[in-house]
Amino acid sequence: MTNRLTITRPDDWHLHLRDGAMLAAVLPESARHFARALVMPNLVPPVVTGADARAYRERILAALPEGTGFTPLMTLYLTETTDPGDVAAAAAEELIAAVKLYPAGATTNSDSGVRDFDRVRGVLERMAEIGLPLCVHGEVTDEDVDIFDREAVFIERVLEPLRRATPGLRVVMEHVTTREGIEYVRSAPRDLAATLTTHHLVINRNHILAGGIRPHYYCLPVAKRESHRLALCEAATSGDPRFFLGTDSAPHADARKLAPCGCAGCFTAPDTMAILAHVFEEEGALDRLEGFTSRHGAAFYGLPENSERITLEKGEPVPAGGMLETGEGPVTIFDPGFPLAWRVVE
Ligand code: NCD
Ligand code: ZN
């Protein structure tokens, strides 16, 4: 039995760091274990231009604890007025690593997202030319589509036509939550990949709704039925390089989660590596954890693997979850429903 595991330091390919007091509180939780993270641009107002990304990156670097070697990789929020020249310039100076597409109204702070895809064609074509990946929040927002079907319908109605219209565009389907999403990625050539979150490998929709409503398990895309969770675990542990970790750790103060209309998001950053070690061990795939957390994403983004390593050890299980105090109030840490035997020791 393996009780100790040393792997290349991981990267998080989908992370919400927020701003101000929340940024200061949550950033150390990612910087402790992760070398790099792809930082989501859905602030209010969103990070839209190269200049916005530069300013946000400065605020993140200023909030880093002394001596922490953590690199934020920035993204731009695609709007219908995004200037292809600005995107290309920001990519050329390696200020950004991707552009993020939110269908308007799909999730937290997505009002500035795209309604008419014809209006972003120029940007997408430029991105295909320069090889800059498009990260996609893959859900339709139509009121007549059931929330549990919105990812599958998005693939058919939006993603497939978009990819066909823009040959060569490199796309990451963010936080895939369905068997359909997994199958779509597998059926495509290598210019399509997907991130999987920590929490979607652990919870299904019963965790949110059965036996009482549990707002801390509510996120978008919403967790689906168990058969989908099993498909996600199979993909994550398969060793297929098209699947890699994007935690989608999305902190909200408890007051905003525990409300009549609560925010979507699970705050998974603090214990993600411990939870993933548990999941991969259960699947008999501990030897594939490193690919998922530390190699496949870097390869897709064309970045070198991290040279540092981290070590996880298995010991006495300790309770998971808990609370992080922030300047904006307490934030509940994701509880996977099992105690944590694995921990990052160095
Ligand atoms: C994210 C957030 O809170 O910013 N919430 C979530 O449930 N994942 C937005 C997002 O990535 O959809
Ligand atoms: Zn997200």
Side-chain angles (χ1 to χ4, degrees):
M1 207 177 74
T2 314
N3 286 321
R4 198 176 155 89
L5 186 66
T6 297
I7 60 172
T8 300
R9 186 173 284 275
D11 299 313
D12 184 347
W13 296 101
H14 182 131
L15 177 65
H16 297 273
L17 284 175
R18 314 302 190 202
D19 216 341
M22 186 63 86
L23 167 65
V26 302
L27 177 60
E29 300 300 318
S30 287
R32 191 170 296 133
H33 299 157
F34 292 87
R36 299 174 288 202
L38 191 69
V39 181
M40 291 299 118
N42 63 332
L43 304 181
V44 188
V47 178
V48 172
T49 64
D52 295 341
R54 183 176 291 105
Y56 186 29
R57 184 171 68 179
E58 289 308 316
R59 297 199 295 281
I60 295 168
L61 293 175
L64 266 181
E66 199 74 34
T68 320
F70 174 81
T71 305
L73 303 170
M74 309 310 292
T75 58
L76 296 184
Y77 189 118
L78 182 62
T79 72
E80 294 182 0
T81 55
T82 293
D83 169 15
D86 183 58
V87 170
E93 57 175 294
E94 292 179 12
L95 177 60
I96 58 166
V99 170
K100 177 76 191 233
L101 165 67
Y102 290 98
T107 187
T108 317
N109 305 334
S110 63
D111 297 342
S112 324
V114 176
R115 287 182 170 80
D116 178 357
F117 284 84
D118 284 336
R119 305 190 63 168
V120 295
R121 197 147 311 285
V123 183
L124 299 183
E125 279 166 8
R126 193 68 175 272
M127 289 171 62
E129 269 167 44
I130 62 177
L132 185 68
L134 179 72
C135 293
V136 174
H137 183 109
E139 289 189 290
V140 292
T141 53
D142 315 46
E143 299 246 320
D144 61 332
V145 179
D146 189 276
I147 187 168
F148 292 101
D149 298 334
R150 287 181 178 188
E151 182 172 296
V153 172
F154 180 88
I155 295 170
E156 208 179 286
R157 284 196 200 163
V158 183
L159 189 53
E160 176 60 20
L162 181 147
R163 291 184 56 243
R164 227 180 269 158
T166 326
L169 182 65
R170 313 187 67 235
V171 175
V172 184
M173 267 187 89
E174 301 285 88
H175 41 50
V176 165
T177 61
T178 58
R179 190 186 324 101
E180 289 88 343
I182 299 292
E183 282 167 5
Y184 182 66
V185 171
R186 285 201 169 125
S187 72
R190 296 279 155 159
D191 57 3
L192 182 65
T195 54
L196 296 164
T197 76
T198 310
H199 49 285
H200 288 115
L201 298 179
V202 174
I203 62 166
N204 63 37
R205 62 195 198 178
N206 284 1
H207 290 82
I208 314 169
L209 296 169
I213 189 158
R214 291 185 177 76
H216 294 302
Y217 291 142
Y218 173 63
C219 66
L220 288 171
V222 70
K224 310 298 191 296
R225 45 171 85 240
E226 177 66 1
S227 56
H228 293 285
R229 188 191 71 83
L230 293 173
L232 304 181
C233 281
E234 195 277 319
T237 59
S238 67
D240 186 329
R242 289 172 292 188
F243 299 105
F244 46 87
L245 175 65
T247 64
D248 195 16
S249 180
H252 292 281
D254 278 1
R256 303 192 52 203
K257 292 281 298 174
L258 308 175
C261 184
C263 293
C266 297
F267 179 49
T268 53
D271 295 328
T272 273
M273 292 308 296
I275 296 169
L276 290 174
H278 176 104
V279 169
F280 276 65
E281 184 179 41
E282 295 263 290
E283 299 281 323
L286 262 184
D287 58 329
R288 293 185 172 163
L289 181 65
E290 183 178 40
F292 181 69
T293 61
S294 318
R295 307 184 62 169
H296 302 165
F300 184 86
Y301 279 95
L303 293 168
E305 285 175 19
N306 300 310
S307 50
E308 287 179 16
R309 297 167 80 71
I310 62 165
T311 296
L312 293 113
E313 249 176 38
K314 192 177 181 187
E316 238 359 85
V318 296
M323 207 77 111
L324 181 74
E325 291 301 333
T326 81
E328 293 179 19
V331 174
T332 293
I333 299 168
F334 178 77
D335 180 353
F338 48 77
L340 302 175
W342 286 92
R343 70 200 54 125
V344 179
V345 290
E346 57 194 58

